[in-house]
């Protein structure tokens, strides 16, 4: 299949590589051209500009950082206009509900399919093709891209015909991850203040009551105070909590803990921690208790 892939960051690069490995004809583009070099070595074609990655393809995948990047690259630079009628665009980015609704209309106006397929997983999981993916769109569009999604994910969770449904599941899921990190940050600060290390405490919790990937992965990072290499930047976590708060406000859904996360992440940003892993918000909990080294 002829495929375009836009956005070769820590997640997108591994995803695009898996499509190349599966034998598809893949054209890639990234704002920073050097990110495309490894994929060129694997057999991908590198586009000179974003719209070139959409020309003549059957399916276009995109994995961009935020609303502003999605709007700039896909809409303002003419990528959607370059897609052939009948092609399908698969958006893997975590975006606001408002933009998700706007994109549904933009695709329909151009006669192209739209599937929202955001993912859960870190860069190593993306490279291994083991992401958890939620996908929503019109049945014919989803059917077209299903084999491609299965190249990228251990499981694709169907979320119905409306792409906005997949976007809100991703937003809510990331809120839950942030809440788990904050809970571990506060709990380990409490145990440390009483002489029990974060490692001792989290070894118990993550192997008994909370034996789940989020607690094991982020708990391990908190226990070791290891916030690089980065799987998900703290600044992106702040963005996603903002998306949850905006979506909640739009439907008058109280989310008190989202405000707690917002304040913790904002405090982290004020400390200069924007580019560390978002598990690093644990540093704020420790600093508040005067336990930071």
């Amino acid at each position: 299949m002829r495929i375009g892939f836009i956005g070769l960051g820590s997640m997108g690069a591994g995803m695009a590589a898996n499509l190349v490995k599966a034998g598809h004809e893949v054209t890639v583009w990234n704002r920073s051209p050097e990110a495309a070099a490894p994929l060129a070595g694997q057999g991908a074609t590198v586009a000179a500009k974003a719209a070139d990655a959409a020309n003549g393809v059957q399916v276009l995948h995109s994995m961009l950082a935020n609303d502003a990047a999605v709007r700039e690259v896909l809409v303002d630079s003419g990528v959607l206009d370059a897609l052939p009628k009948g092609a399908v665009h698969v958006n893997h980015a975590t975006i606001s509900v408002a933009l998700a609704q706007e994109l549904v209309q933009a695709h329909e106006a151009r006669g192209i399919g739209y599937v929202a397929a955001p993912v859960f997983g870190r860069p190593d999981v993306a490279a291994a093709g083991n992401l958890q993916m939620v996908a929503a769109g019109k049945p014919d569009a989803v059917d077209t891209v299903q084999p491609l999604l299965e190249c990228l994910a251990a499981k694709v969770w169907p979320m119905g015909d409306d792409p906005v449904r997949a976007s809100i599941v991703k937003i809510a899921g990331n809120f839950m991850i942030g809440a788990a990190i904050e809970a571990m940050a506060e709990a380990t600060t409490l145990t440390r203040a009483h002489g029990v290390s974060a490692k001792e405490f989290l070894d118990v919790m993550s192997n008994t009551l909370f034996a789940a990937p989020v607690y094991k992965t982020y708990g391990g990072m908190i226990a070791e105070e290891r916030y690089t290499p980065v799987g998900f930047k703290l600044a992106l976590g702040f963005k996603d909590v903002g998306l949850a708060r905006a979506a909640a406000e739009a439907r008058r859904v109280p989310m008190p803990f989202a405000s707690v996360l917002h304040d913790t992440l904002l405090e982290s940003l004020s400390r200069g921690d924007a580019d560390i892993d978002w598990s690093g918000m644990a540093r704020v909990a420790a600093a508040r208790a005067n336990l930071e080294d």
Side-chain angles (χ1 to χ4, degrees):
M1 193 176 286
R2 295 188 307 280
I3 298 170
F5 203 110
I6 289 175
L8 305 174
S10 59
M11 297 291 287
M15 296 167 72
N18 283 325
L19 293 171
V20 174
K21 290 174 190 173
H24 297 287
E25 183 183 332
V26 182
T27 300
V28 300
W29 179 86
N30 193 67
R31 188 178 275 124
S32 303
E34 58 271 16
L39 284 155
Q42 296 171 43
T45 300
V46 179
K49 54 186 179 180
D52 292 342
N55 283 326
V57 301
Q58 296 162 279
V59 177
L60 175 70
H61 294 257
S62 61
M63 176 56 109
L64 297 163
N66 51 37
D67 279 25
V70 170
R71 189 182 302 281
E72 178 187 344
V73 174
L74 298 180
V75 182
D76 297 344
S77 68
V79 167
L80 294 186
D81 293 326
L83 277 170
K85 286 191 182 301
V88 179
H89 170 220
V90 183
N91 176 28
H92 297 291
T94 306
I95 60 172
S96 68
V97 169
L99 181 57
Q101 293 167 334
E102 183 182 329
L103 287 177
V104 170
Q105 297 171 358
H107 286 75
E108 287 180 353
R110 292 167 172 81
I112 52 181
Y114 179 52
V115 174
V119 301
F120 293 103
R122 291 168 68 85
D124 57 332
V125 178
N130 287 329
L131 294 164
Q132 295 294 320
M133 184 179 293
V134 290
K138 291 183 177 178
D140 56 343
V142 174
D143 288 346
T144 296
V145 303
Q146 185 72 23
L148 303 178
L149 304 186
E150 291 173 356
C151 289
L152 306 175
K155 184 172 178 62
V156 179
W157 299 84
M159 286 294 144
D161 296 357
D162 183 0
V164 178
R165 288 170 53 87
S167 293
I168 197 62
V169 168
K170 173 61 173 170
I171 290 169
N174 276 13
F175 163 74
M176 289 182 69
I177 295 170
I181 293 171
E182 176 68 10
M184 286 187 284
E186 293 186 22
T188 54
T189 300
L190 174 62
T191 64
R192 287 175 61 198
H194 288 270
V196 178
S197 72
K199 185 178 188 311
E200 289 174 300
F201 172 69
L202 289 172
D203 274 350
V204 175
M205 293 295 104
S206 64
N207 287 294
T208 56
L209 301 178
F210 296 91
V214 165
Y215 290 93
K216 286 181 174 291
T217 298
Y218 290 110
M221 297 177 77
I222 290 169
E224 297 174 15
E225 299 183 31
R226 172 177 46 83
Y227 306 126
T228 57
V230 176
F232 189 67
K233 283 186 179 181
L234 194 144
L236 292 177
F238 179 72
K239 180 265 293 185
D240 287 354
V241 170
L243 298 183
R245 296 177 80 206
E249 183 176 337
R251 294 296 176 93
R252 298 185 177 179
V253 176
M255 293 184 72
F257 202 71
S259 296
V260 172
L261 284 177
H262 170 272
D263 290 349
T264 296
L265 288 160
L266 184 59
E267 191 170 342
S268 297
L269 294 176
S270 75
R271 292 163 48 93
D273 287 346
D275 293 328
I276 67 172
D277 193 272
W278 74 324
S279 55
M281 72 172 86
R283 295 176 61 182
V284 168
R288 287 170 178 164
N290 295 315
L291 291 178
E292 189 176 40
D293 295 332

